[in-house]
Amino acid sequence: MGTVGIQRKQILTYCSLTAGFGLLNSAYNFYYVKVFLNFYHIQEFWFQLSQVLFLVWNAINDPLLAYYSDNKNFKILRTRRNIILYSAPFFSLSFLIPWFPWSTNPVIVGLHLIFALCFWDTLFTFIGLAECCLFTEISQDSEMRITLTRASQIASLFSSFSVMVLEHASNGLQDFKSFQVTTVLIAILSWFLMYYCGKNCHTQYDLQQMQHGEKSPDEVCHERTGQESYWQQTWQIVRDINFISFVVTNFFQEFHQTFLYNFMAIICDQLISADEISQTARSTFYGSVPFASKILVISIAPILRHFSYKKVIRANFIWKISGGLVMYYVNGNGHPWVLIGFLLIDDCFANGTFSLFNLPLSDIADANMVKYNRKHPISSMVFGTNALFVKPAISLSPMLVVAILNKYGYNQMKKSTGDMTNPSVNPFNSAELEDLKGVMFSLVCLYPVVLGTIQLLSWSFYRISNKVELEVKTA
């Protein structure tokens, strides 16, 4: 098979992983908070405790798995392909854990969420790191990476339909049995896609061993550094100004993205009544949000060949600040379709920009390889160390929002509402309800303003302008 044929196969297998991974990730992030808050009625103490433990577990498992992936030679870790192949069925299983209640006992509900989050994140990290490393190691060519970015977003168009399918299958979670059955079908399909990638995807370093060492795919082994400790490699990474700049930017991007994933449906259900926008239209909107963000990345990918990703990412932060301020001062809360439009655009830019973040992290990994004269980039360590600092945002963001909402009576409103799947039927005090709606609207508008300002400042310290600099250094 020629070089072009090999590249096409690598793109296809990588896209298969992206589609399978995205099917689970989109649905999990969109539903787990709503299911535990509104259906299992988890107590705030247990919700916050689960997020704290989740945060701690994130801090332990990401760098640990990253170091082992780059430096140990267990069978499951021999190649990025092996990691995906053996982890995929467990990842699909972890996706199903939240949707099947264990008990109505408050303690059991709390333990259910703790287990679900930690089990999910362990497999999410394992396969997510392998996916990121594949992106870096399939090719060092910047054109190939842009092509991979665009192709993976096309594949993600398929995976983004998981939310829409679940919304319509369950009628906005009103038919929970149908929701559960659909999640099982999605998990099986996702496992099949990831299995295909695990059987067929090879990095450029794997291919070199197969071509020059005449090794079979099963004999290929990821080259280990083996001589440096975890702390040495971590110190080399965290002292890089480009890495520091990126991590701060990425932390607040994850913070914003998690807020939109977890609370968009909850906030829209309260700010927009069923009389203004029907449940069918609302479900279509929720399902189209992840789809629209993929279209954005596919559209701007050709721009990356003319303008650096650094400028494109910076433009997103300028939008966050200006868009949030305009929305707040025009009082979009009184215009449901304007609010829907703003949330759609905000989510598109948040998720679209996040989809480009593999490009700077890959360049940071390549720069590290050049600086420390390595034969192979320590991609897992770079991505894992990034996750060590960034993943806490996934816990801190919902903790902060739930605390704010409960301060304004959201928990009391849930208790006073007999059926949370029908928020229009609400005996909650009208004045308190208006205060709650006001703070929800403020969160929607001011979150992007505050986070975008911090990101615009931190991103200004990122110094790698394009891949040409690395290619010159390598030469």
Side-chain angles (χ1 to χ4, degrees):
M1 186 182 294
T3 302
V4 174
I6 291 174
Q7 287 184 343
R8 286 177 179 172
K9 184 177 181 181
Q10 299 306 87
I11 292 172
L12 177 62
T13 53
Y14 180 80
C15 288
S16 175
L17 170 62
T18 301
F21 190 82
L23 274 172
L24 304 188
N25 189 38
S26 297
Y28 194 96
N29 287 322
F30 191 85
Y31 285 111
Y32 93 84
V33 171
K34 187 175 183 178
V35 167
F36 274 90
L37 286 179
N38 293 357
F39 286 86
Y40 302 162
H41 303 290
I42 187 171
Q43 295 177 349
E44 183 178 358
F45 167 78
W46 283 104
F47 183 84
Q48 301 289 26
L49 177 62
S50 68
Q51 295 296 337
V52 170
L53 295 176
F54 181 41
L55 187 154
V56 173
W57 177 239
N58 258 327
I60 296 172
N61 85 79
D62 280 282
L64 184 65
L65 292 177
Y67 180 74
Y68 272 77
S69 295
D70 276 338
N71 296 279
K72 302 300 178 183
N73 200 27
F74 303 132
K75 184 177 181 180
I76 191 175
L77 303 174
R78 292 187 65 182
T79 62
R80 311 303 184 191
R81 182 178 65 83
N82 277 22
I83 293 174
I84 296 164
L85 182 64
Y86 294 118
S87 302
F90 298 101
F91 186 45
S92 294
L93 176 62
S94 73
F95 168 74
L96 296 174
I97 298 297
W99 321 131
F100 296 87
W102 293 358
S103 171
T104 57
N105 183 289
V107 176
I108 302 300
V109 173
L111 293 176
H112 182 187
L113 180 56
I114 291 170
F115 178 79
L117 287 175
C118 292
F119 187 37
W120 161 264
D121 187 67
T122 302
L123 277 302
F124 178 92
T125 298
F126 221 40
I127 293 189
L129 279 174
E131 180 185 18
C132 294
C133 293
L134 280 177
F135 181 89
T136 301
E137 297 170 14
I138 282 177
S139 175
Q140 286 184 296
D141 180 63
S142 57
E143 288 291 318
M144 179 63 171
R145 285 179 177 172
I146 293 172
T147 301
L148 265 181
T149 299
R150 193 179 191 190
S152 66
Q153 292 306 301
I154 294 174
S156 294
L157 287 177
F158 169 75
S159 66
S160 64
F161 276 111
S162 61
V163 174
M164 184 175 291
V165 170
L166 286 165
E167 276 291 303
H168 286 285
S170 65
N171 192 23
L173 287 184
Q174 293 183 45
D175 184 351
F176 201 67
K177 273 292 184 204
S178 296
F179 175 82
Q180 291 172 317
V181 171
T182 309
T183 59
V184 173
L185 297 176
I186 288 173
I188 293 171
L189 177 58
S190 172
W191 168 77
F192 175 78
L193 290 167
M194 290 186 286
Y195 175 82
Y196 175 77
C197 175
K199 293 294 289 185
N200 297 286
C201 196
H202 304 281
T203 69
Q204 67 178 40
Y205 306 98
D206 297 339
L207 292 172
Q208 287 171 5
Q209 291 185 51
M210 292 163 64
Q211 292 170 355
H212 303 301
E214 297 183 350
K215 294 182 178 180
S216 69
D218 292 333
E219 294 174 326
V220 169
C221 182
H222 176 77
E223 188 173 341
R224 316 288 162 178
T225 56
Q227 299 177 349
E228 297 172 330
S229 70
Y230 167 79
W231 300 109
Q232 284 178 302
Q233 291 184 356
T234 301
W235 176 244
Q236 291 168 1
I237 293 168
V238 299
R239 65 188 295 187
D240 181 4
I241 185 64
N242 295 305
F243 181 80
I244 296 171
S245 169
F246 177 82
V247 161
V248 174
T249 303
N250 195 14
F251 176 88
F252 290 103
Q253 191 72 13
E254 189 73 70
F255 208 88
H256 186 202
Q257 190 180 33
T258 302
F259 166 69
L260 291 170
Y261 264 134
N262 293 165
F263 294 95
M264 181 182 292
I266 291 174
I267 289 175
C268 283
D269 283 349
Q270 295 304 319
L271 295 184
I272 303 172
S273 71
D275 295 333
E276 294 171 314
I277 297 179
S278 69
Q279 181 58 53
T280 301
R282 199 190 306 266
S283 295
T284 302
F285 165 68
Y286 295 152
S288 66
V289 166
F291 178 83
S293 65
K294 311 305 178 188
I295 293 291
L296 176 66
V297 177
I298 294 168
S299 301
I300 68 172
I303 298 175
L304 297 173
R305 293 185 168 89
H306 304 286
F307 299 95
S308 68
Y309 59 74
K310 181 179 179 180
K311 294 179 180 178
V312 174
I313 291 172
R314 184 171 60 221
N316 167 66
F317 305 144
I318 295 172
W319 144 257
K320 277 188 184 182
I321 299 168
S322 57
L325 288 173
V326 169
M327 187 65 185
Y328 185 76
Y329 284 109
V330 301
N331 191 25
N333 190 22
H335 308 281
W337 285 106
V338 173
L339 179 61
I340 286 287
F342 172 76
L343 285 169
L344 178 63
I345 296 171
D346 193 33
D347 191 272
C348 282
F349 275 89
N351 288 303
T353 302
F354 188 78
S355 299
L356 301 178
F357 277 8
N358 276 350
L359 292 169
L361 262 184
S362 295
D363 282 353
I364 290 170
D366 289 342
N368 177 278
M369 180 179 69
V370 172
K371 182 175 181 179
Y372 295 99
N373 196 29
R374 307 184 196 279
K375 294 181 179 180
H376 193 288
I378 51 172
S379 309
S380 290
M381 278 298 293
V382 172
F383 282 94
T385 306
N386 163 70
L388 169 66
F389 296 105
V390 171
K391 282 287 191 71
I394 298 174
S395 298
L396 293 173
S397 183
M399 287 174 65
L400 175 62
V401 176
V402 167
I404 292 172
L405 294 183
N406 284 346
K407 183 179 180 181
Y408 285 84
Y410 182 70
N411 194 44
Q412 180 185 347
M413 184 196 69
K414 286 190 301 171
K415 292 178 180 177
S416 67
T417 303
D419 182 8
M420 280 304 298
T421 62
N422 187 6
S424 62
V425 181
N426 192 358
F428 193 50
N429 180 280
S430 58
E432 294 173 323
L433 181 59
E434 287 305 312
D435 288 342
L436 177 61
K437 288 183 177 181
V439 79
M440 285 181 170
F441 179 70
S442 296
L443 284 172
V444 167
C445 298
L446 299 182
Y447 238 54
V449 174
V450 174
L451 301 181
T453 301
I454 298 172
Q455 289 176 295
L456 187 62
L457 178 63
S458 64
W459 190 240
S460 65
F461 290 93
Y462 185 80
R463 304 302 183 195
I464 300 177
S465 59
N466 52 53
K467 192 61 186 286
V468 174
E469 295 179 7
L470 291 177
E471 291 170 349
V472 170
K473 289 178 181 178
T474 305

